[in-house]
Amino acid sequence: MSELAGRIALVTGAQQGIGAAIARALAAAGADVAVNWLDAEPLDLAAEIRAMGRRCALLQGSVATVPEVRALHAAAVEALGVPDILVNNAGIFPRCDFLRLEEDEWDAVLGINLKAGAFLTQAFARALAGRPGAVVNLSSSAVRGDPRGVHYTASKNGVVGLTRATALALAPAIRVNAIAPGLTDTAQPRFGMTEAEIAERSATFPVGRIGRPEEIAELAVFLASPKAGFITGQVYHINGGMYLA
């Protein structure tokens, strides 16, 4: 039997990249998946999930405000039933020199990267009403600091704090963990780096390459599964040893 058979997952920001890889991997492990997307409907992803014999709901919507977050969770419940796996993956990283940073951009980054996860986790836990569940949050290797992402670094450090605090607040029924990916082969780093810069940087990592979304996804599946039943409040850095370089 698949390790996540009978489970229902909600993955935010899953139209591409790490989010799409996590949605695909959860389905491969047996879960039905509600895929949140914003501006590019992932029809191929939905087809893949359904071809595995799993249910898939494509839920368009922003997570920029608390009412939108609550509406998204309600839509997932209506489409598939009450989720017992939540992956808070949606995030933005608009590069900006700190001296040019404005309040509206700060608020947008903190709202999507941190506040959305907090209030979606709240809606998730309320709906479970004491039943078991698992939350996987996406932090980042940028917790160490990024000179053109002060707002992003602040938000992703906030995710670490959110993970630890909600793990305490929701125990023992709901486990909450986080993944902090390093440089990964998605569109996100390409908004701020050229291909040559990505290659040069990844060559300095001990493993000698950029990460793959599927590698992040496999860790997410593990953390959502019963195999991680004694793990909560932890942050897993998956970055090819870049912190050693």
Side-chain angles (χ1 to χ4, degrees):
M1 180 179 291
S2 299
E3 58 190 321
L4 297 181
R7 306 287 295 277
I8 298 172
L10 169 58
V11 185
T12 66
Q15 67 188 43
Q16 62 182 355
I18 290 172
I22 291 175
R24 189 179 295 110
L26 290 169
D32 297 326
V33 187
V35 173
N36 165 239
W37 62 282
L38 181 61
D39 53 15
E41 188 173 11
L43 296 173
D44 290 345
L45 174 61
E48 286 183 61
I49 291 172
R50 290 164 184 156
M52 297 177 197
R54 309 314 314 159
R55 294 184 298 155
C56 179
L58 295 180
L59 304 178
Q60 183 181 20
S62 168
V63 294
T65 69
V66 172
E68 289 172 314
V69 162
R70 290 173 174 161
L72 172 61
H73 184 269
V77 172
E78 182 177 1
L80 298 178
V82 176
D84 54 5
I85 296 170
L86 171 63
V87 181
N88 287 309
N89 170 76
I92 58 172
F93 186 179
R95 275 70 172 178
C96 180
D97 293 334
F98 179 60
L99 297 183
R100 296 179 179 272
L101 180 61
E102 299 290 344
E103 182 181 8
D104 59 348
E105 190 168 357
W106 171 276
D107 289 346
V109 171
L110 271 291
I112 292 173
N113 293 4
L114 179 57
K115 183 169 70 174
F119 283 92
L120 192 49
T121 298
Q122 182 190 70
F124 172 83
R126 284 174 172 173
L128 280 173
R131 297 188 299 277
V135 178
V136 179
N137 295 321
L138 270 291
S139 182
S140 169
S141 63
V143 292
R144 296 182 77 177
D146 187 298
R148 300 195 66 228
V150 172
H151 46 2
Y152 184 79
T153 293
S155 73
K156 291 302 185 177
N157 274 286
V159 169
V160 172
L162 175 68
T163 298
R164 292 171 175 163
T166 52
L168 293 171
L170 300 177
I174 296 174
R175 296 181 300 101
V176 186
N177 292 290
I179 301 173
L183 194 63
T184 305
D185 190 10
T186 66
Q188 195 257 39
R190 293 176 169 89
F191 289 117
M193 303 172 69
T194 66
E195 293 298 327
E197 288 170 334
I198 290 172
E200 180 180 3
R201 185 173 174 189
S202 61
T204 68
F205 301 162
V207 301
R209 63 170 176 83
I210 195 171
R212 295 189 293 270
E214 294 75 19
E215 293 170 314
I216 313 301
E218 289 303 321
L219 180 55
V221 170
F222 169 72
L223 292 173
S225 78
K227 293 179 180 179
F230 198 53
I231 301 173
T232 195
Q234 304 304 306
V235 181
Y236 287 83
H237 293 272
I238 178 168
N239 56 34
M242 64 177 287
Y243 282 2
L244 303 176

